Amino acid sequence: MAKDRFPLVETAEEPERAILVGVDRPGSEWAIEQTLDELERLAQTAGSVAVARTTQRLDKPNPRTFVGAGKAEEIGQLCRSFDATLVLFDDELTPSQQSNLEKVVGGKVKVIDRTALILDIFAMHATTKEGRLQVRLAQNKYLLPRLRGMWAHLASNRMGGGVGSRFGEGESQLEVDRRIVRKRITSIERELADLERNRGIQRKNRQESGMLRVALAGYTNAGKSSLLNRLTQADVLSYDKLFATLDSTTRKLTLPEGREITLTDTVGFIQKLPTTLVESFKSTLDEIREADIILHVVDAAAEGFEGQMTAVEEVLQQIGAQEISRILVFNKADALSPEMRSALQGRYREAVFVSALTGEGIDDLIARIVRVAAAQDEVMQLLVPYANGDMVSLAHERCFIMDERYEPEGVLLTLRVGKRLVAAFDPYRC
């Protein structure tokens, strides 16, 4: 009886129902359906459900509504037909385009662009203080030029004697808000600078330790965190979703030759990565830019993986990491058919094929890291006095010992030395 009298009530919020909008432009490296599939995954990650999608082929965006006037009306009709509350554009909208589209669509439907959606996802997944500050900085930089649109309704109420004063108040409030946002940006940048100093000290300590540094870079959801876990037996957060991890994570790995290196997992990339995010996550991306070797991790089973590879390479070039030694790693090889794998191996002969899930190919990847590291090393012959036993220990931890002999004057070593340690060993060079 109690169950009948007091039934359970579902309290979970209904997910927002979204219409996806894409513009197919000549020369795009991505098929329009692929880019909308990715937009749908982003929407799902943010907690929305895509109920319909529409596209338009345009040479260039309409300056007023991005899409044509007829398409904008069609989007409004789709919202009414599917009871949608959200319109997601796959490109960045100007403030005026966003405002005009919301007027055309009508009702309480929000119009959001790809950049705002990604910022929303980043805000959901930021866990550390630095990560949250980086997201807040990007959000405020995105918000600043859009403040005028938020006060545009005041200009549309020009009726009666109070029109001028109301609009004046709006303009005054707009300037106040701009000052608030600018002050907020300055404050966040100051906090991030303090954190960056601490991170810089950590990086300097790693540099002085002489450890070879390897950074994992790749498209979001390529499996970088899972690969880091497999390589180092770590327990870094790893989910099958976009942007599951935002904060860089560094772990040690001891190579078979006894040499210790660091592996750093970094934020995943994506096509049309907002410039504000690249700027805001500069300190995190510096982990890639200052690495000795980059593992470019690719989801081998992803449709359109080549476009993902291009997007990653573009960001690497943008942050000045294009000259760093690269190892191409095709992850999720277990999901490939024999035919697909054979075709990929034929096209990418230098790539390493692995599965972070099963452990397949991990030994091959470690062997490749050893070879690439060796190519950067300098062969040195040292005579280290017995009184400097700490340098001998350092050589065993950070270098590859080719020969070791005990002489009356000290330990005679022939070894491969990473470029970060050459200066430290120079005083003992024979």
Side-chain angles (χ1 to χ4, degrees):
M1 289 292 293
K3 287 185 179 179
D4 294 331
R5 290 179 60 194
F6 304 105
L8 293 174
V9 178
E10 180 62 56
T11 58
E13 290 186 11
E14 286 287 324
E16 289 185 284
R17 299 166 61 81
I19 307 295
L20 309 185
V21 183
V23 170
D24 188 9
R25 279 181 275 185
S28 175
E29 294 184 5
W30 293 70
I32 188 65
E33 287 305 316
Q34 285 182 358
T35 192
L36 284 182
D37 286 344
E38 182 172 273
L39 185 65
E40 182 168 352
R41 286 208 67 194
L42 288 168
Q44 290 170 349
T45 303
S48 304
V49 56
V51 295
R53 57 174 63 180
T54 184
T55 63
Q56 185 174 37
R57 186 168 181 82
L58 289 174
D59 290 333
K60 59 181 180 180
N62 184 314
R64 187 174 183 278
T65 53
F66 198 83
V67 292
K71 178 59 70 172
E73 294 289 350
E74 180 189 324
I75 293 168
Q77 183 57 49
L78 284 172
C79 290
R80 292 184 286 274
S81 299
F82 288 92
D83 195 25
T85 56
L86 182 64
V87 176
L88 293 175
F89 272 74
D90 194 45
D91 294 273
E92 186 164 327
L93 301 172
T94 66
S96 62
Q97 287 170 339
Q98 186 174 350
S99 176
N100 291 332
L101 282 164
E102 287 180 341
K103 291 174 186 175
V104 173
V105 172
K108 296 183 178 179
V109 179
K110 291 182 295 184
V111 177
I112 302 293
D113 62 18
R114 182 185 181 90
T115 299
L117 178 60
I118 293 174
L119 287 172
D120 188 58
I121 294 169
F122 272 45
M124 290 168 55
H125 292 171
T127 55
T128 66
K129 180 179 180 180
E130 183 176 28
R132 290 192 294 269
L133 285 171
Q134 288 167 331
V135 173
R136 282 173 54 200
L137 178 60
Q139 287 174 326
N140 280 279
K141 286 184 175 180
Y142 175 80
L143 174 65
L144 185 59
R146 287 165 171 77
L147 287 174
R148 176 175 290 277
M150 295 179 180
W151 291 99
H153 65 283
L154 295 173
S156 64
N157 290 333
R158 295 192 175 186
M159 301 181 196
V163 171
S165 60
R166 286 200 300 271
F167 186 75
E169 289 171 0
E171 285 296 290
S172 175
Q173 185 62 54
L174 173 62
E175 291 306 317
V176 170
D177 285 355
R178 279 176 172 162
R179 283 197 298 273
I180 290 172
V181 173
R182 288 192 186 104
K183 285 180 66 177
R184 197 180 296 156
I185 288 172
T186 301
S187 174
I188 295 171
E189 287 177 335
R190 191 178 298 121
E191 285 191 72
L192 280 172
D194 291 338
L195 290 173
E196 169 57 17
R197 276 191 287 274
N198 293 332
R199 183 187 285 273
I201 292 171
Q202 293 173 356
R203 278 200 297 265
K204 184 180 178 182
N205 289 339
R206 290 203 296 268
Q207 286 176 351
E208 291 176 348
S209 74
M211 275 192 179
L212 183 92
R213 294 187 291 176
V214 179
L216 285 74
Y219 210 76
T220 182
N221 208 41
K224 301 186 306 303
S225 298
S226 297
L227 185 57
L228 180 70
N229 289 339
R230 174 65 70 170
L231 285 165
T232 65
Q233 283 72 57
D235 56 355
V236 177
L237 177 68
S238 175
Y239 289 139
D240 182 20
K241 61 171 63 174
L242 304 184
F243 300 118
T245 50
L246 298 181
D247 305 293
S248 60
T249 304
T250 299
R251 296 289 184 270
K252 283 184 182 179
L253 172 66
T254 302
L255 299 177
E257 60 189 31
R259 177 182 189 175
E260 286 186 338
I261 67 172
T262 61
L263 287 172
T264 300
D265 182 22
T266 58
V267 62
F269 299 158
I270 198 167
Q271 62 154 328
K272 305 174 187 176
L273 187 68
T275 304
T276 51
L277 282 179
V278 176
E279 293 172 353
S280 300
F281 278 74
K282 179 182 179 298
S283 60
T284 302
L285 295 174
D286 277 348
E287 297 288 350
I288 300 175
R289 189 172 57 83
E290 297 180 6
D292 299 296
I293 300 171
I294 295 173
L295 303 187
H296 180 171
V297 184
V298 181
D299 180 351
E303 185 179 0
F305 70 87
E306 289 175 311
Q308 296 181 359
M309 291 170 63
T310 300
V312 171
E313 291 297 334
E314 287 175 351
V315 177
L316 291 178
Q317 184 165 2
Q318 190 176 349
I319 64 175
Q322 67 272 23
E323 300 299 326
I324 298 173
S325 297
R326 202 79 46 88
I327 299 175
L328 183 60
V329 183
F330 278 100
N331 189 25
K332 307 184 185 181
D334 56 297
L336 296 175
S337 68
E339 295 77 18
M340 291 172 62
R341 179 164 182 157
S342 178
L344 280 178
Q345 287 175 327
R347 289 170 58 193
Y348 299 95
R349 296 185 182 277
E350 294 302 314
V352 182
F353 287 77
V354 305
S355 170
L357 180 66
T358 67
E360 174 193 353
I362 295 300
D363 289 342
D364 294 337
L365 176 56
I366 292 175
R368 179 66 64 83
I369 293 173
V370 169
R371 290 205 301 273
V372 174
Q376 299 181 5
D377 291 345
E378 180 176 335
V379 176
M380 300 180 71
Q381 190 171 53
L382 312 175
L383 181 60
V384 183
Y386 290 113
N388 299 103
D390 57 330
M391 297 304 295
V392 177
S393 298
L394 181 63
H396 279 274
E397 290 175 4
R398 305 283 187 262
C399 309
F400 177 70
I401 307 298
M402 302 168 68
D403 188 50
E404 183 175 17
R405 299 177 189 177
Y406 293 90
E407 303 291 342
E409 302 85 357
V411 183
L412 185 63
L413 295 168
T414 303
L415 67 168
R416 289 202 323 262
V417 181
K419 58 187 177 183
R420 299 183 190 279
L421 274 178
V422 170
F425 286 118
D426 247 340
Y428 307 98
R429 195 191 291 261
C430 294

